[in-house]
Protein backbone atom coordinates (compact mmCIF):
# COMPACT_ATOMS: atom_id res chain seq x y z
CA UNK A 1 0.00 0.00 0.00
CA UNK A 2 1.28 3.44 -0.91
CA UNK A 3 1.72 5.97 1.83
CA UNK A 4 -0.36 9.10 1.52
CA UNK A 5 0.94 10.71 4.68
CA UNK A 6 3.75 13.15 4.12
CA UNK A 7 6.27 13.39 6.91
CA UNK A 8 7.19 16.76 8.23
CA UNK A 9 10.32 17.52 6.26
CA UNK A 10 10.42 21.18 7.14
CA UNK A 11 14.03 20.48 8.03
CA UNK A 12 15.18 18.67 4.89
CA UNK A 13 18.77 19.19 5.90
CA UNK A 14 22.17 17.76 5.15
CA UNK A 15 24.42 16.97 8.12
CA UNK A 16 28.19 16.65 8.21
CA UNK A 17 27.95 13.91 10.84
CA UNK A 18 25.65 11.78 8.69
CA UNK A 19 28.08 12.00 5.78
CA UNK A 20 31.03 11.13 8.00
CA UNK A 21 29.17 8.26 9.70
CA UNK A 22 28.31 6.72 6.35
CA UNK A 23 31.94 7.01 5.30
CA UNK A 24 33.18 5.62 8.61
CA UNK A 25 30.91 2.60 8.53
CA UNK A 26 31.74 1.90 4.91
CA UNK A 27 35.52 2.10 5.45
CA UNK A 28 35.75 0.59 8.93
CA UNK A 29 33.15 -2.18 8.69
CA UNK A 30 31.56 -2.89 5.36
CA UNK A 31 34.56 -3.11 3.02
CA UNK A 32 36.56 -5.28 5.39
CA UNK A 33 33.81 -7.91 5.41
CA UNK A 34 35.23 -9.09 2.08
CA UNK A 35 37.78 -11.82 2.81
CA UNK A 36 39.73 -11.06 -0.39
CA UNK A 37 39.73 -7.84 -2.35
CA UNK A 38 41.08 -8.40 -5.82
CA UNK A 39 40.05 -8.09 -9.49
CA UNK A 40 36.73 -6.30 -9.96
CA UNK A 41 36.36 -5.75 -6.21
CA UNK A 42 39.72 -4.05 -6.01
CA UNK A 43 38.90 -1.87 -9.03
CA UNK A 44 35.64 -0.92 -7.30
CA UNK A 45 37.53 0.05 -4.16
CA UNK A 46 40.06 2.11 -6.13
CA UNK A 47 37.32 3.99 -7.93
CA UNK A 48 35.40 4.55 -4.70
CA UNK A 49 38.44 6.01 -2.94
CA UNK A 50 39.29 8.20 -5.93
CA UNK A 51 35.74 9.55 -5.95
CA UNK A 52 35.87 10.24 -2.21
CA UNK A 53 39.21 12.05 -2.50
CA UNK A 54 37.77 14.21 -5.28
CA UNK A 55 34.36 14.98 -3.86
CA UNK A 56 33.78 13.99 -0.23
CA UNK A 57 33.13 17.21 1.74
CA UNK A 58 35.51 16.66 4.61
CA UNK A 59 35.60 19.26 7.30
CA UNK A 60 39.33 19.43 8.00
CA UNK A 61 42.40 19.19 5.69
CA UNK A 62 43.70 16.23 7.75
CA UNK A 63 40.71 14.16 6.85
CA UNK A 64 41.33 14.83 3.19
CA UNK A 65 44.92 13.68 3.68
CA UNK A 66 43.58 10.51 5.31
CA UNK A 67 41.53 9.58 2.25
CA UNK A 68 44.39 10.51 -0.05
CA UNK A 69 46.73 8.15 1.83
CA UNK A 70 44.24 5.28 1.78
CA UNK A 71 43.74 5.82 -1.93
CA UNK A 72 47.49 5.66 -2.59
CA UNK A 73 47.91 2.51 -0.52
CA UNK A 74 45.11 0.70 -2.34
CA UNK A 75 46.28 1.94 -5.75
CA UNK A 76 49.63 0.30 -5.14
CA UNK A 77 48.12 -3.14 -4.52
CA UNK A 78 47.03 -5.93 -6.84
CA UNK A 79 45.15 -7.68 -4.04
CA UNK A 80 44.52 -7.32 -0.34
CA UNK A 81 42.45 -8.97 2.34
CA UNK A 82 39.59 -7.21 4.03
CA UNK A 83 41.59 -7.44 7.21
CA UNK A 84 44.61 -5.74 5.55
CA UNK A 85 42.33 -2.93 4.51
CA UNK A 86 40.82 -2.57 7.95
CA UNK A 87 44.28 -2.49 9.55
CA UNK A 88 45.33 0.31 7.20
CA UNK A 89 42.14 2.23 7.91
CA UNK A 90 42.68 1.99 11.63
CA UNK A 91 46.39 2.79 11.58
CA UNK A 92 46.02 5.86 9.36
CA UNK A 93 43.04 7.03 11.36
CA UNK A 94 45.07 6.80 14.56
CA UNK A 95 48.05 8.52 12.94
CA UNK A 96 46.02 11.51 11.81
CA UNK A 97 43.61 11.66 14.74
CA UNK A 98 41.09 13.25 14.61
CA UNK A 99 40.03 12.39 11.07
CA UNK A 100 36.33 12.73 11.86
CA UNK A 101 34.79 15.92 13.13
CA UNK A 102 32.38 14.55 15.73
CA UNK A 103 30.94 11.48 17.45
CA UNK A 104 29.37 8.54 15.61
CA UNK A 105 25.78 9.74 15.95
CA UNK A 106 23.16 9.89 13.21
CA UNK A 107 21.35 13.19 13.01
CA UNK A 108 19.25 13.52 9.84
CA UNK A 109 19.44 9.72 9.40
CA UNK A 110 18.49 8.80 12.93
CA UNK A 111 15.66 6.27 12.97
CA UNK A 112 12.84 6.07 15.45
CA UNK A 113 14.13 2.64 16.48
CA UNK A 114 17.55 1.02 16.74
CA UNK A 115 17.15 -0.97 13.52
CA UNK A 116 15.78 1.63 11.16
CA UNK A 117 17.52 4.13 8.88
CA UNK A 118 21.12 4.91 9.87
CA UNK A 119 23.67 3.52 7.44
CA UNK A 120 21.58 2.96 4.27
CA UNK A 121 20.14 6.46 4.70
CA UNK A 122 23.66 7.81 5.17
CA UNK A 123 24.93 6.04 2.07
CA UNK A 124 22.19 7.49 -0.16
CA UNK A 125 22.87 10.90 1.35
CA UNK A 126 26.58 10.58 0.73
CA UNK A 127 26.18 9.55 -2.91
CA UNK A 128 23.69 12.34 -3.64
CA UNK A 129 26.22 14.75 -2.14
CA UNK A 130 29.01 13.31 -4.29
CA UNK A 131 26.97 13.71 -7.51
CA UNK A 132 26.32 17.35 -6.66
CA UNK A 133 29.97 18.02 -5.78
CA UNK A 134 31.05 16.44 -9.08
CA UNK A 135 28.56 18.55 -11.02
CA UNK A 136 29.78 21.72 -9.33
CA UNK A 137 33.26 20.73 -10.41
CA UNK A 138 32.00 19.91 -13.91
CA UNK A 139 30.87 23.51 -14.40
CA UNK A 140 34.47 24.65 -14.03
CA UNK A 141 36.34 21.60 -15.30
CA UNK A 142 34.68 20.22 -18.40
CA UNK A 143 37.31 17.61 -19.23
CA UNK A 144 36.94 15.61 -16.04
CA UNK A 145 35.11 12.26 -16.33
CA UNK A 146 31.90 13.13 -14.52
CA UNK A 147 30.17 9.81 -15.01
CA UNK A 148 32.54 8.40 -12.41
CA UNK A 149 30.38 9.08 -9.34
CA UNK A 150 27.53 6.90 -10.58
CA UNK A 151 29.93 4.30 -11.91
CA UNK A 152 31.76 4.30 -8.57
CA UNK A 153 28.49 4.00 -6.67
CA UNK A 154 27.32 1.15 -8.87
CA UNK A 155 30.60 -0.71 -8.33
CA UNK A 156 30.56 -0.05 -4.58
CA UNK A 157 26.99 -1.27 -4.15
CA UNK A 158 27.59 -4.31 -6.34
CA UNK A 159 30.81 -5.37 -4.62
CA UNK A 160 30.48 -4.23 -1.01
CA UNK A 161 26.98 -3.20 0.05
CA UNK A 162 25.84 -5.55 2.82
CA UNK A 163 22.24 -5.75 1.62
CA UNK A 164 22.47 -8.27 -1.22
CA UNK A 165 18.85 -7.77 -2.35
CA UNK A 166 19.38 -4.03 -2.55
CA UNK A 167 22.52 -4.53 -4.62
CA UNK A 168 20.62 -6.84 -6.96
CA UNK A 169 17.83 -4.25 -7.39
CA UNK A 170 20.29 -1.44 -7.91
CA UNK A 171 22.06 -3.33 -10.69
CA UNK A 172 18.70 -3.92 -12.34
CA UNK A 173 18.00 -0.19 -12.25
CA UNK A 174 21.44 0.62 -13.58
CA UNK A 175 20.64 -1.52 -16.59
CA UNK A 176 17.03 -0.43 -17.15
CA UNK A 177 17.79 3.23 -16.60
CA UNK A 178 21.05 3.19 -18.60
CA UNK A 179 23.37 4.34 -15.83
CA UNK A 180 26.43 3.78 -17.99
CA UNK A 181 25.18 6.16 -20.67
CA UNK A 182 25.00 9.14 -18.32
CA UNK A 183 27.57 11.75 -19.28
CA UNK A 184 27.82 13.28 -15.83
CA UNK A 185 27.21 16.68 -14.27
CA UNK A 186 23.55 17.52 -13.80
CA UNK A 187 22.44 14.31 -15.52
CA UNK A 188 24.06 12.23 -12.78
CA UNK A 189 22.25 14.19 -10.08
CA UNK A 190 18.91 13.62 -11.78
CA UNK A 191 19.64 9.97 -12.51
CA UNK A 192 20.27 9.24 -8.84
CA UNK A 193 17.23 11.22 -7.75
CA UNK A 194 15.04 9.17 -10.11
CA UNK A 195 16.57 5.87 -9.06
CA UNK A 196 16.14 6.71 -5.38
CA UNK A 197 12.49 7.62 -5.97
CA UNK A 198 11.93 4.28 -7.67
CA UNK A 199 13.32 2.56 -4.58
CA UNK A 200 11.11 4.75 -2.38
CA UNK A 201 8.09 3.80 -4.44
CA UNK A 202 8.85 0.11 -4.09
CA UNK A 203 9.44 0.36 -0.33
CA UNK A 204 6.49 2.63 0.54
CA UNK A 205 4.39 0.76 3.08
CA UNK A 206 6.99 -2.02 3.35
CA UNK A 207 7.70 -3.45 6.79
CA UNK A 208 11.19 -1.92 6.66
CA UNK A 209 9.69 1.56 6.51
CA UNK A 210 10.23 3.71 9.58
CA UNK A 211 6.70 4.86 10.58
CA UNK A 212 8.07 8.30 11.43
CA UNK A 213 9.85 8.59 8.06
CA UNK A 214 7.49 7.49 5.34
CA UNK A 215 8.88 6.78 1.90
CA UNK A 216 7.76 9.65 -0.30
CA UNK A 217 8.33 10.76 -3.86
CA UNK A 218 11.02 13.24 -3.02
CA UNK A 219 11.15 16.18 -2.52
CA UNK A 220 7.93 16.80 -0.60
CA UNK A 221 5.71 19.57 -1.96
CA UNK A 222 6.05 21.35 1.38
CA UNK A 223 9.80 21.63 0.80
CA UNK A 224 9.69 22.41 -2.88
CA UNK A 225 6.29 23.66 -4.01
CA UNK A 226 7.72 24.50 -7.45
CA UNK A 227 9.12 21.02 -8.11
CA UNK A 228 5.89 19.78 -9.66
CA UNK A 229 3.79 21.26 -12.46
CA UNK A 230 0.07 21.71 -11.84
CA UNK A 231 -0.58 18.40 -13.67
CA UNK A 232 1.50 16.62 -11.02
CA UNK A 233 4.52 15.84 -13.20
CA UNK A 234 8.00 16.83 -12.09
CA UNK A 235 9.58 20.07 -13.22
CA UNK A 236 13.11 18.75 -13.53
CA UNK A 237 14.63 22.20 -13.77
CA UNK A 238 13.25 23.01 -10.33
CA UNK A 239 14.08 19.56 -8.96
CA UNK A 240 17.66 19.97 -10.09
CA UNK A 241 17.83 23.39 -8.48
CA UNK A 242 16.48 21.93 -5.25
CA UNK A 243 18.92 19.00 -5.23
CA UNK A 244 21.88 21.25 -6.00
CA UNK A 245 20.96 23.41 -3.05
CA UNK A 246 20.13 20.64 -0.59
CA UNK A 247 23.24 18.55 -1.33
CA UNK A 248 25.69 21.40 -1.75
CA UNK A 249 28.73 21.69 0.50
CA UNK A 250 27.68 25.19 1.53
CA UNK A 251 24.39 23.81 2.83
CA UNK A 252 25.94 21.27 5.21
CA UNK A 253 24.70 21.66 8.77
CA UNK A 254 27.43 21.26 11.39
CA UNK A 255 25.21 20.13 14.25
CA UNK A 256 27.15 17.78 16.53
CA UNK A 257 30.56 18.71 15.07
CA UNK A 258 33.15 19.15 17.86
P1 LIG B 1 16.32 6.79 2.51
O1 LIG B 1 15.57 6.24 1.36
O2 LIG B 1 17.51 6.06 2.97
O3 LIG B 1 16.73 8.28 2.11
C1 LIG B 1 17.64 9.04 2.88
C2 LIG B 1 17.32 10.51 2.72
O4 LIG B 1 17.56 10.91 1.36
C3 LIG B 1 15.87 10.87 2.97
O5 LIG B 1 15.64 11.10 4.32
C4 LIG B 1 15.70 12.14 2.14
O6 LIG B 1 16.19 13.26 2.85
C5 LIG B 1 16.62 11.91 0.97
N1 LIG B 1 15.93 11.41 -0.23
C6 LIG B 1 14.89 10.54 -0.30
N2 LIG B 1 14.57 10.32 -1.58
C7 LIG B 1 15.41 11.04 -2.34
C8 LIG B 1 15.56 11.22 -3.74
N3 LIG B 1 14.77 10.61 -4.63
N4 LIG B 1 16.53 12.05 -4.17
C9 LIG B 1 17.34 12.69 -3.30
N5 LIG B 1 17.24 12.57 -1.96
C10 LIG B 1 16.28 11.75 -1.49
N6 LIG B 1 16.02 -1.35 1.13
C11 LIG B 1 15.21 -2.40 0.82
O7 LIG B 1 14.45 -2.84 1.69
N7 LIG B 1 15.17 -2.93 -0.44
C12 LIG B 1 16.00 -2.47 -1.43
O8 LIG B 1 15.98 -2.98 -2.56
C13 LIG B 1 16.88 -1.40 -1.13
N8 LIG B 1 17.76 -0.93 -2.07
C14 LIG B 1 18.68 0.02 -1.71
C15 LIG B 1 19.64 0.42 -2.65
C16 LIG B 1 20.62 1.33 -2.29
C17 LIG B 1 21.64 1.74 -3.31
C18 LIG B 1 20.66 1.86 -0.98
C19 LIG B 1 21.73 2.83 -0.57
C20 LIG B 1 19.70 1.48 -0.05
C21 LIG B 1 18.71 0.56 -0.39
N9 LIG B 1 17.74 0.13 0.52
C22 LIG B 1 16.87 -0.86 0.19
C23 LIG B 1 17.57 0.86 1.80
C24 LIG B 1 16.45 1.90 1.66
O9 LIG B 1 16.51 2.54 0.38
C25 LIG B 1 16.57 3.02 2.70
O10 LIG B 1 17.87 3.55 2.69
C26 LIG B 1 16.24 2.56 4.11
O11 LIG B 1 14.97 1.94 4.12
C27 LIG B 1 16.22 3.77 5.08
O12 LIG B 1 15.23 4.68 4.62
P2 LIG B 1 15.13 6.17 5.05
O13 LIG B 1 13.76 6.45 5.52
O14 LIG B 1 16.21 6.54 5.98
O15 LIG B 1 15.32 7.03 3.69
Amino acid sequence: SKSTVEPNLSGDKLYQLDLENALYFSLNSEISLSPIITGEKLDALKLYLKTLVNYFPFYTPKSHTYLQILKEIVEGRSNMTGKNFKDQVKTKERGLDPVYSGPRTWIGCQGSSENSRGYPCGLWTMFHTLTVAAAEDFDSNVDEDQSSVLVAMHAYIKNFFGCADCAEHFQGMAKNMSLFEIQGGDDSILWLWKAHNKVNERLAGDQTEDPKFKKIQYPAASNCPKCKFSDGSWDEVEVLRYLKRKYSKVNIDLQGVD
Side-chain angles (χ1 to χ4, degrees):
S1 67
K2 297 272 152 57
S3 159
T4 51
V5 188
E6 281 204 346
N8 177 8
L9 286 176
S10 55
D12 186 23
K13 285 192 181 172
L14 178 64
Y15 295 95
Q16 183 71 24
L17 285 200
D18 286 346
L19 295 166
E20 291 188 13
N21 275 351
L23 180 74
Y24 179 92
F25 189 81
S26 149
L27 294 178
N28 290 58
S29 302
E30 194 157 63
I31 293 168
S32 59
L33 291 177
S34 293
I36 299 288
I37 304 172
T38 186
E40 183 190 316
K41 244 184 201 288
L42 187 67
D43 291 342
L45 182 55
K46 287 177 182 173
L47 187 57
Y48 180 56
L49 290 170
K50 178 179 163 213
T51 306
L52 292 170
V53 166
N54 286 343
Y55 304 122
F56 189 87
F58 256 127
Y59 188 55
T60 64
K62 255 193 189 175
S63 28
H64 188 260
T65 307
Y66 167 73
L67 283 178
Q68 182 73 43
I69 291 172
L70 282 184
K71 170 180 173 264
E72 278 161 21
I73 290 169
V74 173
E75 266 170 4
R77 305 290 290 260
S78 56
N79 61 70
M80 65 198 303
T81 64
K83 183 173 178 313
N84 279 160
F85 182 72
K86 188 169 185 151
D87 290 344
Q88 293 290 355
V89 162
K90 288 210 172 312
T91 312
K92 304 308 171 217
E93 198 186 320
R94 230 176 286 126
L96 289 161
D97 185 57
V99 164
Y100 294 94
S101 63
R104 305 271 69 75
T105 322
W106 298 107
I107 300 185
C109 283
Q110 188 159 104
S112 60
S113 74
E114 187 81 39
N115 298 323
S116 68
R117 310 193 71 219
Y119 181 60
C121 171
L123 206 57
W124 277 121
T125 304
M126 186 182 84
F127 279 114
H128 286 298
T129 304
L130 296 175
T131 59
V132 169
E136 283 169 353
D137 190 50
F138 186 61
D139 297 338
S140 56
N141 187 3
V142 190
D143 292 336
E144 180 76 18
D145 174 16
Q146 297 298 311
S147 61
S148 66
V149 174
L150 290 183
V151 174
M153 176 176 179
H154 176 266
Y156 183 85
I157 298 293
K158 180 177 176 195
N159 288 285
F160 297 108
F161 194 40
C163 167
D165 269 2
C166 306
E168 223 18 70
H169 278 132
F170 195 74
Q171 285 175 79
M173 281 198 303
K175 198 161 170 249
N176 297 335
M177 294 168 64
S178 311
L179 178 148
F180 290 96
E181 282 161 35
I182 300 297
Q183 294 302 309
D186 294 350
D187 291 345
S188 294
I189 299 174
L190 285 171
W191 190 94
L192 196 57
W193 162 73
K194 269 185 208 153
H196 194 169
N197 268 347
K198 277 203 193 297
V199 176
N200 293 344
E201 188 181 22
R202 186 156 44 76
L203 296 179
D206 187 80
Q207 58 179 17
T208 60
E209 187 178 63
D210 187 321
K212 297 230 172 80
F213 298 91
K214 299 280 192 191
K215 297 284 192 289
I216 60 158
Q217 289 302 290
Y218 180 97
S222 54
N223 284 316
C224 184
K226 286 197 209 151
C227 281
K228 278 184 177 170
F229 294 115
S230 51
D231 70 359
S233 61
W234 292 109
D235 179 341
E236 294 195 359
V237 172
E238 289 298 332
V239 171
L240 182 63
R241 191 171 293 158
Y242 186 81
L243 295 169
K244 280 185 137 173
R245 201 178 47 194
K246 152 110 193 242
Y247 290 105
S248 163
K249 189 173 162 72
V250 297
N251 187 47
I252 297 178
D253 189 301
L254 299 179
Q255 186 179 325
V257 165
D258 293 336

